């Protein structure tokens, strides 16, 4: 096959590209320039898309003997990922930019260009498995290494996109094996730290970054009764489930910690309460995608996962009007509108919904 290998400059995409070459594919490497003002050097494990990353990717491409290009996707990334991130926070929701990047950049903009240029597949260093199911359709499954499994952030991929996806690391037992292989191949990135945090906020200060774009007007922090218990310096930087940085002036009557329960942008208010008030008994959304055929039944059983490394929870999902409503067998704590809920059948990804609303769990009596 003619394969386009997306090379971030990290060890995972380097080994993935090398494995694609060894499998006999006609591979071309490409590094995506996503930052309009890319820095020269990385700061430890923070950020990505620096000039250093592009050079690391080029050195790997040279070593495995494949053509290499840098494609400027910075304008598309700014519009589809960064602007979306800001808009979601402005609306009081909590987005996942990595998932959005996979949905709109790596497996939309990049894949569209790759197919237009005659490539059969896009290869990345994600830890996930694509298999052919009994019906001949391509299926997305969890990686062999549960600790590195990235099927959650790939849960937005459609069946059409999976038909052109290649994940050579999916069956690898551990990240240590990947690093060892990179060292054996002579890749300088073998010991390069993994990227953490949000790539376009390399210093990790999400609150400060958002304040620079949305402002930071002070306002009240209230409890569930509406009584003011503190002040904040910008509601939009808070997210449901947050405990730290609340600046409360009145402790809870029982002395227990308080958590963010809701962010109200219209009134610039943050609502806090006890941990048990975070329990969600149902979640619903109208924005959904399917990694295969949409389930034929109006109601079906599945496992639901709401964060990249959260434990999946058995649940019942039902189509109700324009929404898919998912009712977990056990309450999920701290789920915010804007997050993605990925649905599984065993190891297989069924699809995902963006959470528009949640329903509080009924307290046990």
């Amino acid at each position: 096959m003619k394969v386009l290998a997306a090379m971030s400059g990290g060890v995972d995409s380097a080994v993935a590209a090398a494995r694609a070459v060894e499998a006999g594919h006609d591979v071309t490497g490409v590094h995506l320039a996503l930052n309009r003002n890319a820095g020269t050097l990385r700061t430890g494990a923070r950020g990505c898309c620096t000039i250093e990353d592009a050079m690391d990717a080029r050195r790997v491409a040279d070593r495995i003997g494949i053509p290499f290009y840098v494609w400027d996707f910075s304008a598309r990334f700014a519009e589809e990922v960064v602007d979306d991130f800001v808009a979601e926070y402005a609306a009081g929701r909590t987005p996942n930019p990595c998932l959005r990047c996979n949905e709109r950049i790596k497996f939309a903009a990049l894949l569209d260009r790759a197919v237009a240029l005659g490539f059969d597949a896009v290869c990345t260093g994600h830890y996930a498995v694509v298999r052919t199911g009994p019906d001949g359709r391509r299926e997305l499954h969890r990686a062999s290494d549960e600790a590195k499994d990235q099927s959650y952030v790939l849960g937005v991929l459609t069946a059409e996109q999976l038909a052109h996806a290649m994940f050579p690391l999916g069956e690898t037992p551990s990240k240590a094996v990947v690093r060892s292989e990179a060292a054996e191949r002579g890749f300088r990135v073998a010991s390069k730290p993994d990227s953490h945090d949000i790539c376009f906020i390399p210093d990790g200060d999400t609150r400060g970054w958002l304040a620079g774009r949305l402002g930071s007007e002070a306002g009240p922090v209230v409890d569930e009764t509406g009584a003011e218990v503190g002040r904040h310096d910008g509601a939009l930087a808070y997210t449901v489930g947050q405990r730290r940085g609340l600046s409360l002036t009145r402790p809870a009557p029982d002395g227990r910690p308080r958590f963010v329960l809701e962010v109200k942008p219209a009134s610039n208010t943050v609502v806090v309460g006890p941990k048990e008030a975070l329990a969600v008994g149902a979640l619903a959304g109208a924005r959904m995608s399917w990694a295969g055929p949409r389930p034929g039944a109006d109601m079906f059983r599945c496992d639901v996962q709401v964060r990249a490394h959260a434990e999946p929870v058995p649940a019942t999902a039902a189509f109700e009007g324009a929404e898919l409503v998912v009712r977990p067998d056990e309450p999920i704590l701290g789920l915010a509108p804007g997050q993605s809920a990925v649905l599984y059948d065993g190891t297989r990804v069924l699809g995902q919904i963006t959470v528009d609303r949640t329903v509080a769990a009924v307290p046990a009596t």
Side-chain angles (χ1 to χ4, degrees), residues 100-187:
R100 199 65 64 225
C101 182
N102 287 329
E103 176 188 28
R104 299 181 181 178
I105 304 299
K106 294 176 183 173
F107 292 95
L110 175 62
L111 179 57
D112 289 347
R113 183 180 292 187
V115 171
L117 292 173
F119 288 94
D120 301 300
V122 167
C123 165
T124 74
H126 286 100
Y127 288 78
V129 175
V130 176
R131 299 191 183 119
T132 301
D135 60 358
R137 299 176 187 269
R138 302 265 278 176
E139 299 177 349
L140 179 63
H141 287 260
R142 292 188 183 277
S144 296
D145 181 3
E146 292 184 5
K148 292 298 295 181
D149 173 53
Q150 292 176 299
S151 60
Y152 173 84
V153 295
L154 296 169
V156 290
L157 300 191
T158 65
E160 292 75 16
Q161 291 167 331
L162 285 175
H164 298 282
M166 178 183 291
F167 306 125
L169 305 188
E171 302 281 7
T172 307
S174 72
K175 179 63 174 273
V177 171
V178 172
R179 290 197 180 279
S180 177
E181 181 178 332
E184 291 173 1
R185 293 180 182 275
F187 295 165

Side-chain angles (χ1 to χ4, degrees), residues 1-8 13 16-18 20-21 25-32 61 64 66-71 73 105-126 164-168:
M1 287 197 302
K2 190 175 180 182
V3 174
L4 185 68
M7 304 179 70
S8 67
S13 60
V21 171
H25 300 299
D26 178 9
V27 180
T28 297
V30 63
H31 178 80
L32 303 186
I64 61 179
I66 63 172
F68 178 81
Y69 301 92
V70 175
W71 288 355
F73 276 44
I105 304 299
K106 294 176 183 173
F107 292 95
L110 175 62
L111 179 57
D112 289 347
R113 183 180 292 187
V115 171
L117 292 173
F119 288 94
D120 301 300
V122 167
C123 165
T124 74
H126 286 100
H164 298 282
M166 178 183 291
F167 306 125

